[in-house]
Amino acid sequence: MSRKVHRTEVCADCSAPDPGWTSINRGVLICDECCSVHRSLGRHISIVKHLRHSGWPPALLQMVQTLASNGANSIWEHSLLDPAQVQSGRRKPNPQDKVHPTKSEFIRSKYQMLSFVHKLPCRDDDGVTTKDLSKQLHSSVRTGSLETCLRLLSLGAQANFFHPEKGTTPLHVAAKAGQVLQAELLVVYGADPGALDINGRTPMDYARQAGQVELAERLVECQYELTDRLAFYLCGRRPDHKNGHYIIPQMADSLDLSELAKAAKKKLQALNNRLFEELAMDVYDEVDRRENDAVWLTTQNHSTLVTERSAVPFLPVNPEYSATRNQGRQKLARFNAREFATLIIDILSDAKRRQQGKGLSSPTDSSLDLGADDDQHDYDSVASDEDTDSELTTQNNNNTQRNNRAKSMDSSDLSDGPITLQEYLEVKKALASSEAKVQQLMKVNNNLSEELRRLQKEVRKGGPGGPTPYGGQHLSSSMEVGRYMVPKGEKHGSGTDSDYDNTQLYELSLSRGRSSEEESRGESEEWGGGEGGEPDPTLPCTEDVILKTEQVTKNIQELLRAAQEFKHDSFVPCSEKIHSAVTEMASLFPKRPALDAVHCSLRLLASSASRLQVECRKAAPPDPSAPAVDYQLLTQQVIQCAYDIAKAAKQLVTITTREKKQ
């Protein structure tokens, strides 16, 4: 379903015209620049989606449009709109304001800190206030006033509130009243489509009884959101939920069947249900991140690719998760398309296998319900060594719901059996060391952000380095203030340094080739030299590096345009041009650069360009009898390679600019 463009639409955060993105759970439309900040906050704060280039369930899109057109933004800017409560010095950004720090600080204050929402009168018992709000929500969802319900939710009303007198949840009430958009809003805020009323009936039962067939079918889709999304990401298909609820993509030729992958699969199968569900939810978030990146790459001015102005290179930190779980979530970004597809298929397959053994204690205790059973499915026998008849049912997978249910995991959850005192002390020590490293990285990241902002300012002033790079677009940091970046070269841990680590659990063949000494240096050295060092005289002129980078970017833009237009026959010539441009750029630098950061960036640049050629050649297999090409997976791999090339080029520009200015 496509969006009707209204000229009166403006960005909710800076008033830029014709916003192309939306924050689903905030009910607002946002521009490209503000969207980059929303994405950096994480899905637990803002769930973003492109209005025209993302897949939309019609009812969900209608819900967002209704909220946006009916002034949902005033909920988040309540005090800014009240002259009596305007805070001194605070104003809403303009479209011309800089993303960092002006727009980013405002957006964080608006949505993360909730600085401008209406404040409730203080009470001694916060639980009573929440209960009152939830009862109001329970009553309001039978009406069509979406803004009222969003305001109640913003104040703390619980979407899964069970009314003690009525014996139902708000979603039961909305389903009975046929309020489709209210149901969408509740699900976004974590309402469970499988929740039972006092008589054991679900919201789907209420909808069917009220003759709301489409609403009942939509609630079923919401219940299976997680597995539907993972399957669609790989094969572009969703089950119709009439003939079956589950699809396991047939992609055996793309799976990682190495011994390392097989061993990782056994580790996955050994996880208890709760850890398995958390892994599945984190992979869901990573799928969302990659899909939004793909939309960004195909819709933006690609001269800004190298600056990574709006890139989100890994999942942002969720403060309600443990530090080690956040590290594991971030490492998911290091999986290439083939490895990530293998992980997804193994998750889908193992979820099915688990259904045969045991279910969960309650559908409302988890986002994955292992209690459903379906006979019809598509199953790839290579993806799993198991062959079971039962199926996985997924409950609503909204990030807010997952955020509310998330708890810090105890290290003993790594094993279903007892642990020794020595094992406990080792884990405790490793966790303390990991936390200290996180704090160090956060400090390093803040220093880097300040340094890059200083460089931006000098470049804009026309200092050393010549003209403004990238067609008028300036260099900007790939890291937001307050976020930390796990060093890209960090090897996977030994298994004792976290209670939850995706890549430790699922170690695939990610060859980084860095020594332990390099790993310990942290993010600052990866970006080029120690503090106070002498400039490297062997580095090329900044202007030459920028010119070569622009040529690389231009060729990447051509490739991405071909991908967007499904011109797969253009992949090979485009990749050859990129490889040639990369070779020319690399030739500017010495074969043995003095800086480790330059060496790492050049290695990433060359390896990504070579891998891109290999992937693009798959678009036109020479053997007619070869298996059919999965163009969706291939396109994902191509885009990932292009992104890595652009990232490496950007790093080289940044390092060269800084060294020449010392």
Side-chain angles (χ1 to χ4, degrees):
M1 180 175 178
S2 61
R3 174 178 72 95
K4 293 183 179 179
V5 178
H6 302 284
R7 293 185 178 181
T8 57
E9 290 177 354
V10 296
C11 174
D13 298 331
C14 73
S15 302
D18 193 26
W21 297 79
T22 179
S23 173
I24 297 175
N25 57 323
R26 304 298 179 173
V28 297
L29 308 182
I30 51 179
C31 68
D32 294 341
E33 289 190 341
C34 292
C35 172
S36 69
V37 182
H38 277 253
R39 290 191 64 204
S40 73
L41 297 178
R43 282 174 52 86
H44 58 287
I45 301 296
S46 182
I47 305 171
V48 303
K49 205 174 185 71
H50 197 278
L51 286 165
R52 291 178 285 267
H53 295 278
S54 297
W56 280 94
L60 181 61
L61 179 58
Q62 186 180 353
M63 184 272 288
V64 171
Q65 290 176 324
T66 301
L67 282 173
S69 61
N70 289 329
N73 193 41
S74 63
I75 295 173
W76 315 110
E77 295 183 355
H78 176 82
S79 63
L80 291 180
L81 301 174
D82 185 357
Q85 300 183 35
V86 172
Q87 300 180 18
S88 176
R90 295 309 299 264
R91 69 172 181 84
K92 188 169 181 175
N94 296 317
Q96 296 78 20
D97 286 330
K98 297 175 182 177
V99 180
H100 305 293
T102 307
K103 292 183 180 180
S104 62
E105 289 182 356
F106 174 79
I107 292 170
R108 289 177 184 277
S109 182
K110 178 178 176 181
Y111 299 108
Q112 189 172 33
M113 309 305 296
L114 300 178
S115 300
F116 314 124
V117 301
H118 176 65
K119 300 296 190 299
L120 290 174
C122 295
R123 295 196 186 184
D124 295 335
D125 187 356
D126 290 337
V128 174
T129 300
T130 300
K131 186 175 180 180
D132 289 344
L133 290 169
S134 299
K135 283 187 174 181
Q136 291 181 44
L137 177 67
H138 190 278
S139 175
S140 298
V141 292
R142 64 168 52 92
T143 73
S145 180
L146 283 177
E147 320 86 72
T148 299
C149 293
L150 180 60
R151 182 172 281 105
L152 290 169
L153 289 165
S154 73
L155 294 173
Q158 299 300 304
N160 273 317
F161 173 73
F162 186 85
H163 199 294
E165 291 84 22
K166 307 291 185 181
T168 56
T169 69
L171 192 55
H172 286 95
V173 177
K176 183 177 180 180
Q179 292 292 344
V180 178
L181 303 188
Q182 293 282 24
E184 291 287 346
L185 178 61
L186 289 170
V187 168
V188 165
Y189 272 83
D192 180 5
L196 302 178
D197 72 354
I198 196 171
N199 296 315
R201 294 185 299 170
T202 67
M204 287 88 80
D205 296 329
Y206 274 69
R208 294 188 185 99
Q209 186 177 357
Q212 301 291 332
V213 179
E214 291 186 3
L215 174 56
E217 293 176 349
R218 173 60 185 149
L219 289 173
V220 173
E221 292 177 356
C222 292
Q223 189 172 8
Y224 287 86
E225 165 66 15
L226 190 149
T227 48
D228 283 5
R229 181 78 175 271
L230 296 186
F232 186 82
Y233 175 75
L234 291 185
C235 66
R237 291 189 299 131
R238 291 186 176 91
D240 59 12
H241 298 294
K242 294 178 181 178
N243 300 313
H245 295 298
Y246 209 65
I247 291 177
I248 299 179
Q250 298 183 3
M251 300 172 62
D253 58 328
S254 299
L255 293 176
D256 186 338
L257 300 177
S258 66
E259 290 302 317
L260 185 61
K262 292 177 181 178
K265 181 177 177 180
K266 290 182 179 179
K267 290 184 180 180
L268 182 144
Q269 293 174 345
L271 287 178
N272 61 40
N273 276 352
R274 182 171 66 85
L275 293 182
F276 175 75
E277 289 161 7
E278 289 178 348
L279 173 61
M281 291 185 283
D282 292 345
V283 169
Y284 177 97
D285 287 350
E286 175 64 13
V287 164
D288 182 79
R289 185 194 70 82
R290 294 189 181 208
E291 287 184 338
N292 278 331
D293 273 352
V295 170
W296 180 266
L297 288 170
T298 56
T299 58
Q300 302 305 305
N301 176 1
H302 296 289
S303 66
T304 64
L305 266 180
V306 177
T307 70
E308 294 182 338
R309 176 170 61 94
S310 299
V312 178
F314 46 74
L315 291 174
V317 172
N318 184 336
E320 294 201 19
Y321 293 163
S322 65
T324 45
R325 181 176 178 183
N326 277 312
Q327 287 178 329
R329 284 164 56 85
Q330 291 179 342
K331 289 178 182 178
L332 287 171
R334 293 165 59 180
F335 286 36
N336 63 33
R338 176 170 171 263
E339 295 162 344
F340 195 53
T342 305
L343 173 57
I344 290 175
I345 290 176
D346 280 354
I347 286 176
L348 294 174
S349 301
D350 199 58
K352 176 185 176 184
R353 179 190 67 82
R354 286 166 182 263
Q355 163 57 28
Q356 185 182 35
K358 57 180 179 178
L360 298 175
S361 58
S362 165
T364 59
D365 286 341
S366 172
S367 297
L368 289 178
D369 178 4
L370 303 179
D373 190 11
D374 295 296
D375 294 328
Q376 300 185 19
H377 55 269
D378 294 327
Y379 181 66
D380 173 15
S381 59
V382 180
S384 175
D385 297 329
E386 316 292 338
D387 187 12
T388 62
D389 296 325
S390 47
E391 296 290 358
L392 166 73
T393 301
T394 53
Q395 300 281 351
N396 163 56
N397 190 50
N398 169 255
N399 197 71
T400 305
Q401 178 185 25
R402 287 177 275 141
N403 185 43
N404 291 338
R405 292 172 178 172
K407 297 179 181 178
S408 297
M409 291 176 291
D410 187 85
S411 58
S412 60
D413 284 331
L414 283 172
S415 173
D416 291 330
I419 62 173
T420 65
L421 176 61
Q422 182 63 30
E423 288 173 335
Y424 172 79
L425 293 176
E426 288 177 358
V427 171
K428 185 176 180 180
K429 180 180 178 181
L431 285 172
S433 175
S434 176
E435 187 64 31
K437 187 174 183 181
V438 168
Q439 297 300 326
Q440 180 185 9
L441 289 172
M442 292 177 68
K443 186 179 297 184
V444 169
N445 178 67
N446 287 334
N447 294 338
L448 284 172
S449 298
E450 293 297 329
E451 174 68 9
L452 287 174
R453 275 197 290 272
R454 184 184 66 79
L455 289 175
Q456 290 174 334
K457 188 174 181 180
E458 291 186 11
V459 171
R460 294 189 188 101
K461 289 180 179 179
T468 302
Y470 322 128
Q473 299 294 336
H474 298 280
L475 290 171
S476 65
S477 172
S478 64
M479 298 165 288
E480 306 294 342
V481 176
R483 293 166 53 202
Y484 69 89
M485 181 175 289
V486 177
K488 301 176 184 64
E490 182 181 356
K491 294 181 181 178
H492 305 315
S494 62
T496 62
D497 62 344
S498 87
D499 52 347
Y500 176 85
D501 186 338
N502 289 318
T503 47
Q504 203 171 289
L505 160 74
Y506 213 89
E507 257 186 292
L508 296 173
S509 51
L510 299 176
S511 55
R512 297 292 170 180
R514 292 182 64 178
S515 67
S516 57
E517 180 183 356
E518 287 175 315
E519 292 177 56
S520 64
R521 293 174 185 168
E523 190 69 24
S524 59
E525 258 190 297
E526 185 169 348
W527 280 83
E531 185 176 352
E534 294 296 326
D536 186 351
T538 64
L539 290 179
C541 172
T542 303
E543 295 178 2
D544 292 341
V545 177
I546 290 174
L547 288 175
K548 295 299 182 183
T549 301
E550 288 178 339
Q551 185 60 46
V552 171
T553 304
K554 179 181 178 182
N555 293 331
I556 289 177
Q557 181 180 10
E558 182 181 350
L559 174 64
L560 295 174
R561 191 159 47 240
Q564 184 180 13
E565 298 172 357
F566 305 103
K567 295 180 179 178
H568 302 111
D569 55 345
S570 300
F571 278 13
V572 172
C574 287
S575 67
E576 297 294 340
K577 291 181 182 179
I578 293 173
H579 190 274
S580 176
V582 164
T583 302
E584 292 181 10
M585 182 175 182
S587 67
L588 297 175
F589 293 84
K591 291 184 178 181
R592 295 184 178 180
L595 293 176
D596 288 339
V598 175
H599 176 70
C600 291
S601 297
L602 287 171
R603 185 171 58 195
L604 175 62
L605 188 72
S607 63
S608 299
S610 297
R611 187 157 55 91
L612 177 65
Q613 285 186 302
V614 173
E615 297 297 338
C616 286
R617 287 173 188 145
K618 296 178 182 178
D623 185 2
S625 62
V629 178
D630 186 332
Y631 285 108
Q632 182 173 5
L633 176 62
L634 177 62
T635 301
Q636 292 169 10
Q637 293 171 322
V638 166
I639 290 176
Q640 183 64 47
C641 293
Y643 178 82
D644 289 341
I645 293 171
K647 179 167 60 177
K650 185 258 182 174
Q651 290 174 356
L652 290 171
V653 172
T654 303
I655 295 168
T656 305
T657 302
R658 181 169 66 183
E659 288 296 316
K660 291 300 181 181
K661 289 181 182 295
Q662 285 187 1

